[in-house]
Amino acid sequence: MTTRHFLTLCDMDSVELKALLDRAIALKAIHARGEHYEPFRNRVLGMIFEKSSTRTRVSFEAGMAQMGGHALFLSPRDTQLGRGEPIEDSAKVLSRMVDIIMLRTFEHSKIERFAAHSRVPVINALTDDFHPCQLLADMMTYQEHRGSIQGRRVAWIGDGNNMCNSYINAAERFDFELVIACPEGFEPLPSLLEKHKGRVSIVRTPQEAAKAADLIVTDVWASMGQEDEQAKRQAAFSNFQVSPELMDLASAKALFMHCLPAHRGEEISVDMLDDSRSVVWDEAENRLHAQKALMEKLLLG
Ligand code: CP
Ligand code: NVA
């Protein structure tokens, strides 16, 4: 049997993704009841972080512990990866020792190369181009609060970054309309836009995207690795802030999401996270439950 990886949402079909969300909701309930469910006894997750993380690290590590397994945190600072050992060699060696691997890195091609040489499932914990684990949590959170997202209108406000690209994949897999408001020069991957032009559109003002939206999502203006562009980006995105006033243009039952960490006063107004339409804390928590369901599927089928 070939090893199954999760590098983008496209690695699973719609039926599998929907089942995964249902399972995540069930695992959340099991956890809330205080029941023990430990199918990962003696299993080890290797976690390689080439960029910083709070949510991703803690949710994977806690999730693995709750399911009876063990997680190993590996950073390039203390491993041979940081001293130039080729990614292919690292993948071959690590995958002979652990049962599943999650990787947060820069170029998406790097995780593809890693996965191609891994004997065990590889999970994308964020690359420059995609952040599929966050989308599992976002889709789960929408479902918990509002039911199916199918046929809904989602507004992405801000940078056409890794999160935005993953929202395009989600629009196709979960069957919703996506309107992206971004300044010129900050669009998502052109190949993805072209492929999904039937359901994904670009507009140039947040107001246009927010109109009648069922979900409004944003993210930082400068992602990890773009710190040098902060000033330029701050100028380009100054009109792209999500605030309660912008939310008022959306549908009456609209929700607000942000993968976090957030910059109050930049992509969101200081009061946005405290607005009654914001579900960001549930969204963050759901990383834990969604990834437990993901690891269960990849390890146990
Ligand atoms: N949303 C998210 O991936 O957060 P971290 O960078 O803290 O992992
Ligand atoms: N777009 C952000 C997401 C962080 C979780 C980044 O890549 O830094």
Side-chain angles (χ1 to χ4, degrees):
M1 209 180 74
T2 54
T3 305
R4 195 119 194 236
H5 304 298
F6 186 67
L7 306 190
T8 72
L9 288 177
C10 302
D11 286 324
M12 283 189 198
D13 65 30
S14 302
V15 174
E16 288 177 309
L17 286 169
K18 283 177 197 146
L20 196 76
L21 299 192
D22 291 340
R23 182 62 183 154
I25 290 169
L27 288 172
K28 185 174 182 175
I30 288 173
H31 186 62
R33 289 196 298 269
E35 288 170 22
H36 290 175
Y37 172 61
E38 300 183 338
F40 293 163
R41 257 179 187 289
N42 299 318
R43 305 281 183 119
V44 179
L45 164 72
M47 307 191 299
I48 306 170
F49 283 96
E50 297 195 321
K51 293 178 178 176
S52 303
S53 168
T54 297
R55 280 143 288 267
T56 304
R57 176 178 179 181
V58 175
S59 55
F60 269 109
E61 196 163 332
M64 199 64 190
Q66 288 167 12
M67 293 177 93
H70 184 78
L72 269 180
F73 175 77
L74 302 163
S75 95
R77 228 191 349 232
D78 338 281
T79 59
Q80 300 291 2
L81 266 169
R83 297 182 60 251
E85 182 166 11
I87 196 91
E88 291 82 359
D89 296 358
S90 304
K92 283 179 196 163
V93 172
L94 288 173
S95 71
R96 283 172 181 238
M97 296 177 179
V98 302
D99 302 283
I100 184 164
I101 296 170
M102 110 359 21
L103 173 58
R104 168 169 286 196
T105 188
F106 292 84
E107 303 88 351
H108 191 72
S109 58
K110 201 161 170 185
I111 197 169
E112 291 176 331
R113 281 162 52 212
F114 190 98
H117 292 86
S118 171
R119 286 184 173 182
V120 302
V122 175
I123 295 171
N124 180 356
L126 182 146
T127 61
D128 289 346
D129 289 344
F130 296 101
H131 195 6
C133 289
Q134 183 68 51
L135 261 291
L136 295 180
D138 287 21
M139 296 296 102
M140 174 184 173
T141 308
Y142 190 88
Q143 184 172 324
E144 283 182 323
H145 283 267
R146 296 285 184 265
S148 172
I149 200 165
Q150 184 169 21
R152 300 289 182 184
R153 178 181 160 98
V154 178
W156 174 270
I157 314 284
D159 191 18
N161 63 11
N162 43 11
M163 278 296 298
C164 183
N165 290 329
S166 284
Y167 260 92
I168 299 179
N169 283 339
E172 191 271 319
R173 284 301 195 249
F174 292 94
D175 190 22
F176 59 80
E177 181 194 355
L178 179 64
V179 186
I180 299 164
C182 63
E184 260 175 72
F186 296 93
E187 291 81 8
L189 289 173
S191 55
L192 272 184
L193 274 181
E194 176 58 27
K195 190 166 167 201
H196 300 294
K197 59 185 172 205
R199 64 169 77 245
V200 180
S201 55
I202 301 270
V203 297
R204 295 303 178 193
T205 67
Q207 289 72 20
E208 206 177 324
K211 221 179 308 162
D214 298 295
L215 169 64
I216 293 187
V217 197
T218 191
D219 188 11
V220 291
W221 292 340
S223 285
M224 289 181 277
Q226 298 173 332
E227 289 78 7
D228 296 352
E229 299 174 27
Q230 181 69 32
K232 174 186 117 185
R233 285 172 170 270
Q234 238 162 296
F237 287 100
S238 60
N239 293 325
F240 287 75
Q241 186 180 82
V242 180
S243 63
E245 294 69 46
L246 188 76
M247 292 295 299
D248 290 343
L249 301 175
S251 101
K253 299 194 84 185
L255 296 176
F256 170 73
M257 293 189 198
H258 188 311
C259 64
L260 306 177
H263 294 175
R264 290 171 177 83
E266 293 185 22
E267 78 275 5
I268 51 162
S269 59
V270 287
D271 50 355
M272 190 58 240
L273 298 188
D274 306 314
D275 188 273
S276 61
R277 292 160 287 191
S278 164
V279 289
V280 295
W281 312 122
D282 290 339
E283 181 189 4
E285 177 190 335
N286 285 338
R287 294 291 304 278
L288 170 69
H289 311 295
Q291 288 156 200
K292 283 166 77 173
L294 173 64
M295 290 192 287
E296 184 185 53
K297 175 154 182 75
L298 293 176
L299 274 176
L300 309 178

